[in-house]
Amino acid sequence: MDMVKCLIWDLDDTLWQGVILEDRHVTVREEIREAVVELDRRGILQSVASRNDHDQAWEWLEKLGLAEYFVFPRIGWSRKSDSVREIADELGFARHTIAFIDDQPAERAEVNHYLPEVRCYRADQGPVLPSLPEFTLAAVNAESRLRRSLYQAQERRAAHRDVFEGTDADFLRTLDLRLAIRRATDDDLGRVEELTLRTSQMNATGVHYSDADLRGLLASPSHEVLVAWLRDRFGSHGAIGIMLLDKHPGTWHLKLLATSCRVVTFGVGTVLLHWLANQAATARAHLVADFLRTDRNRIMEIAYRFAGFTDDECSCRRAVAADDGVARLHLVATSQPLPTTMRVDADLGEASVGALRVC
């Protein structure tokens, strides 16, 4: 079952008891507050889709000490399905990772009609949501607990973009983007596993690597597990990308490239591919990349093609074991231009930036 990445709350008689346009006061049951706090601790984002006066509703969220838990809220008089769609688009999340909770059967039916992939829940289910499997993570890591702050920084970036006058490239330069690449450590494995599990649009194979799988790769002298981190002047984006490499003489096998959907607009996938091509060119190695088409990762295939990967045959493919159903894309690595919209730094320990070890 796919994990829920964002839960969208209705307000009246759902998040709180009462209707703010009719009642002088509204209250929040303690079990609802506990559910909000627990889902936030797990890194499940939460938002609001409510038919209400925005200023009045937000004032009550602040009075109740809950406003800080919600990102990209939609409070106004739009259809609930439109609000849910806008929130999903702001987050860059696929519809099937979104959940919606509302006390009104008609509102749930309206969302279900226009957005059938969105999972809908009754208001009385609010307290038990953290116990459901789709809201239960195998492990909660440090970045999970910081996820809301990452998206609140994203809101500030969006507000900056709304008032910025200039090209997209000029806007990205104003962010002072910095991409850091380093070898994964044991402390990174929780986030790396989560990326392979949660990322669908920017995952080249859709394969989930477990903690045990990743520990095996870290211990293997022929493998590299690389993690990419991104930050800008509004704050950290956290660990946003992974590359799993199996190294052979003269051939580097890119078994997995995955990046967070929240950095798609920055072109991080292409930047990582260009950086890797530069390292392979320095080592005089060809690149062979696994790609398995899913119903969600078309954008990743486009990134590979724009980076120069093709279906051309090459003797280097013989170094890579066959795997039914997986396409093997090929690149004769040459020097690639570095981006003008972000700074790229690599710290690979004993290996230099320009030459990953080749077995």
Side-chain angles (χ1 to χ4, degrees), residues 285-357:
H286 288 203
L287 282 171
V288 176
D290 286 0
F291 180 77
L292 180 62
R293 185 177 289 111
T294 69
D295 60 353
R296 297 292 306 160
N297 69 354
R298 171 64 175 163
I299 190 171
M300 181 59 83
E301 182 176 14
I302 293 172
Y304 273 130
R305 299 300 186 183
F306 271 102
F309 284 84
T310 71
D311 299 305
D312 295 346
E313 290 296 331
C314 179
S315 60
C316 70
R317 290 173 181 264
R318 290 196 292 270
V320 179
D323 189 357
D324 291 342
V326 177
R328 292 270 154 65
L329 305 179
H330 176 259
L331 177 70
V332 178
T334 58
S335 180
Q336 300 290 327
L338 293 176
T340 63
T341 55
M342 71 179 69
R343 174 179 170 181
V344 181
D345 297 308
D347 181 4
L348 302 178
E350 70 274 18
S352 68
V353 172
L356 291 174
R357 292 167 301 177

